[in-house]
Structure formats: structure tokens, C-alpha cells
Amino acid sequence: MIVEYQHTLADEIHLSGVGLHTGCEANLTLSPAPANAGFSFSLADGSRIPATHQTVRSTVRCTTLGSPTAEINTVEHVLAALAGMGVDNAAISIDAEEVPIMDGSAKPFADAIAKTGLVEQRVPRRILELRSPFWVRDGDKLLVVVPAPHFKINFFVAFPEPVGNQFLETPEITPEYFLREIAPNRTFGFRAEVEALYSQGLALGGSLDNAVVIDRDGYMGKLRFPDEIVRHKALDLIGDFALLGMHPRCEVIALKSGHALHVAAVRELLAPYRPAAIAR
Ligand SMILES: [Zn+2]
């Protein structure tokens, strides 16, 4: 059997931009981290927040992690880029309370990771294998996780027109597939909702440069993929599953799910009473 090893970044990556919800300018540095370190956020006040399900504070509109003294918002796209590109360990330093939204997708992060490259760490990758299926549900949102030889996603969304019903079935999510087919898909919002958020002092960094805005008559601006909305939902799921701290080997069937249900599935996968999940 071929042993898969852990990987970290070959060098530091520096990026900056505004936060979607706060509108604050932020500088972000992704740095190499030792084997078994996983992903963690270091904030300007010196606090360190490991990216695990235990530090999740909120899943409303974005995934927020927190420590007793600090919070970091919108972690899902940068975590998706790291996990999707095959990084196991990285330290993320940031001088604001929100990860910059960049162009609304994970592409700027994934492109930078691809350009910088990875180094192999001579420690076997932590892999989570599932022995039996389970599901988590919240009303009409459902997420089923079944054993599989590698990580793949089937995602179904149902939104008002013009989005309508969209379905995405991925093959194995390799770094090549992630970079080409998943990373470029942008976050989205309905125009009426976006305007309501804006009037409440939210989504302050949002614009047509970093989000797909959906109006009743159609999309405002050009789409990157005809099914960009469901592809972005898969991107969010990959980012939330990065909170496992392990490489998942399972197939996820997601019906209309979002951050809350994704995090619930991560908790379930790691629950001590679940002998079905084995880590090695
Ligand atoms: Zn997202």
C-alpha cells in the first residue's frame, strides 16, 4: 500500500483585501507549519485559534472561529483552498477579524498555493475513513455521509429563479480538480437580501467584484460556470470539512445544506461514540 505523507507550504504567501462582512482591510500570511499542526489562525492580539469544530462560534452567513478573547470570520474559503490543494499543515496570520473575501472565491488562495508549491513532510497523512453511513438533518436540509475510497461530493441546491435547481457530482476531489473546477466559484447573494444586510451594517465589503448578485430577472454580471452557485456550495463544504483536521475518505450527499449542517457532520464524524470513523 502506498503511504500518503503530510504536506505544508514551501514558502510564505502574502495576500491582502477587504472582509466581506466587516469591510475592513486585512493582510493575510499563510506560512509553513510542522507535521500534525493542522491549520490555525494567529491574530494581531497574539491569540491563536486552531481551525477545528471545537472553536466554531457561529455559522450564520459564514463560518466564524473564536477563542475566549478573539474571533475570526469567514474562514471557509481559505481553509477550502488549503485542504483542496492538499495542504495538511499551515499557519494563517491575519491583522483583522475577517479573512479577506478577495474575488469571492478560493481561486486567489489556491493560485498562490499552486505557485508557491508544497513540501512533503515525512509523517503519514491523517486520514479519516468511515465504516458506516450516517446523516444529519435540519428541516429540509440534509447531509448524508457514506464510506468511499476517496473524498467526493454530490450537492443539490434549490433556490428561486434564476438559480433554480442545480446539482453537482464531483469525481475524487484532487488538487487539480479543486483548482480548475471548484476554487474559481464565487460567493453569492440575492439582491434584496444583500440590500437588507447592507442597511443593517453587514456585507459592507460586498460588491459585484467579489460576489455573484442574483436579481429577480437574472444574474448581475457574468457567471464563471453556468452552475457557479452549487459549485460554490461544494467549495464551502470543503472548507468546513477542513475543520476535521484530517483528510476525509467519504462521499458526501448534500441537499440544500450550509455551514451549520456541514459543521454538525464534522462533529458527528469525530464524535467519540462513533466507532465507524477511524483515523490513522
Ligand atoms: Zn462561501
Side-chain angles (χ1 to χ4, degrees), residues 99-118:
V99 175
I101 192 68
M102 312 306 290
D103 68 351
S105 79
K107 188 175 172 0
F109 304 119
D111 280 344
I113 294 165
K115 191 169 162 237
T116 303
L118 306 187

Side-chain angles (χ1 to χ4, degrees), residues 206-229:
S207 76
L208 290 174
D209 294 330
N210 56 31
V212 177
V213 179
I214 305 153
D215 207 350
R216 253 187 230 127
D217 322 318
Y219 295 98
M220 298 170 72
K222 205 169 167 287
L223 291 176
R224 293 182 176 176
F225 288 90
D227 56 352
E228 187 165 355
I229 304 306

Side-chain angles (χ1 to χ4, degrees), residues 76-77 187 232 236 259:
E76 58 270 23
H77 302 162
T187 195
H232 185 81
D236 280 342
H259 298 305

Side-chain angles (χ1 to χ4, degrees), residues 155-175:
F155 213 121
F156 174 79
V157 296
F159 284 110
E161 290 300 328
V163 180
N165 297 348
Q166 293 186 0
F167 175 67
L168 176 75
E169 180 182 5
T170 74
E172 175 183 0
I173 300 166
T174 60

